[in-house]
Amino acid sequence: MKVLLVNGSTREKGCTYTALTEVEKILNEENIETEIFHIGTDAVYGCRACGACSKLGKCVLDDVSNKLAEKMQEADGIILGSPVYYASINGSFGAALDKAFYQNSQAYENKIGAAIVSCRRGGAGSSFDRLNKYFTILRMPIASGQYWNAVHGNTPEEVKQDIEGMQQMRDLARSMSWMLNNLKDSKTPEREEKTFFNFIH
Ligand SMILES: Cc1cc2nc3c(=O)[nH]c(=O)nc-3n(C[C@H](O)[C@H](O)[C@H](O)COP(=O)(O)O)c2cc1C
């Protein structure tokens, strides 16, 4: 089983990365394969809503979102990590996630998701909620910890001093491992075909 940990910061080895490595450490101790995927610093286009991805299976505006989608589809568990920017997630990460999930959204059903955020001081809750929205529209069960997974700090050294935040990361990893191990052979529910209704009346 494999968990993809996505670092949605432009800083490759910053605070979000520091939190993700704490999660990764425990997952590896529990014999779960991991990979940290960094979204990088190149420009990411926002979704144009052109619909081409429904035919091509990928975005025509080729940026990190296509690679991200490929990696997420291979994984059994997905942990999305973002720094907090103005009480939300990093804008380029949001653009990449919108396009990655939209291009083949059914591929994520039943994968375990989890979100973590890193902030200096405030806005963790709204950013955490934003990330969880991707899972809850795609029938992805969510692994949770003992708080709304966040670390506080402006540098990796500060994050390491957030002993409660770091404990949350380890706790979350154990929940993710437990869910992966217990759900892998379970029967999934029968589903109705999705109905669309656009409030046009
Ligand atoms: C554009 C920008 C906006 C930010 N907005 C917030 C914010 O709203 N609340 C906060 O606590 N920290 C804010 N920060 C600080 C980062 O969230 C914080 O330093 C984070 O831990 C950085 O993670 P990273 O090293 O993985 O990028 C902001 C940083 C930047 C660059």
Side-chain angles (χ1 to χ4, degrees):
M1 274 179 304
K2 182 172 176 181
V3 172
L4 184 76
L5 301 106
V6 187
N7 177 7
S9 170
T10 53
R11 293 177 8 177
E12 189 175 6
K13 299 277 162 79
C15 303
T16 308
Y17 172 82
T18 305
L20 289 173
T21 53
E22 194 71 1
V23 182
E24 182 178 48
K25 184 179 77 183
I26 302 298
L27 289 172
N28 292 158
E29 278 175 24
E30 306 238 341
N31 296 317
I32 291 173
E33 195 192 333
T34 54
E35 177 181 350
I36 295 185
F37 180 81
H38 179 225
I39 63 150
T41 53
D42 289 348
V44 184
Y45 298 96
C47 178
R48 285 200 307 207
C50 64
C53 62
S54 64
K55 296 181 193 81
L56 301 172
K58 63 177 189 171
C59 183
V60 284
L61 304 169
D62 196 18
D63 53 34
V64 73
S65 61
N66 285 335
K67 189 75 196 163
L68 175 60
E70 222 175 89
K71 291 273 176 194
M72 291 200 296
Q73 285 168 34
E74 284 164 12
D76 304 292
I78 299 167
I79 300 185
L80 302 178
S82 182
V84 173
Y85 285 0
Y86 293 96
S88 188
I89 62 174
N90 170 18
S92 56
F93 188 34
L97 287 171
D98 287 354
K99 297 198 304 166
F101 280 117
Y102 201 71
Q103 60 182 247
N104 196 359
S105 52
Q106 279 159 0
Y108 300 96
E109 192 166 320
N110 303 325
K111 293 183 189 294
I112 316 287
I116 70 155
V117 295
S118 173
C119 71
R120 188 187 70 80
R121 196 162 185 86
S126 44
S127 311
F128 179 71
D129 291 346
R130 164 87 200 271
L131 288 177
N132 280 304
K133 292 289 192 292
Y134 291 106
F135 309 135
T136 48
I137 198 172
L138 296 174
R139 295 186 180 134
M140 294 175 66
I142 296 175
S144 62
Q146 56 183 338
Y147 210 90
W148 303 297
N149 313 314
V151 292
H152 287 77
N154 226 9
T155 62
E157 291 65 38
E158 286 176 4
V159 167
K160 285 177 193 159
Q161 289 172 50
D162 177 9
I163 56 166
E164 184 174 343
M166 292 300 261
Q167 186 186 55
Q168 285 166 27
M169 299 302 123
R170 298 190 295 275
D171 195 64
L172 170 65
R174 292 188 184 99
S175 296
M176 171 68 88
S177 162
W178 172 75
M179 288 179 76
L180 283 168
N181 283 310
N182 285 287
L183 289 178
K184 71 177 185 319
D185 299 322
S186 65
K187 192 173 173 301
T188 51
E190 293 291 324
R191 302 292 194 183
E192 288 183 32
E193 199 179 323
K194 184 167 165 51
T195 302
F196 285 91
F197 178 72
N198 293 344
F199 296 99
I200 51 173
H201 300 286

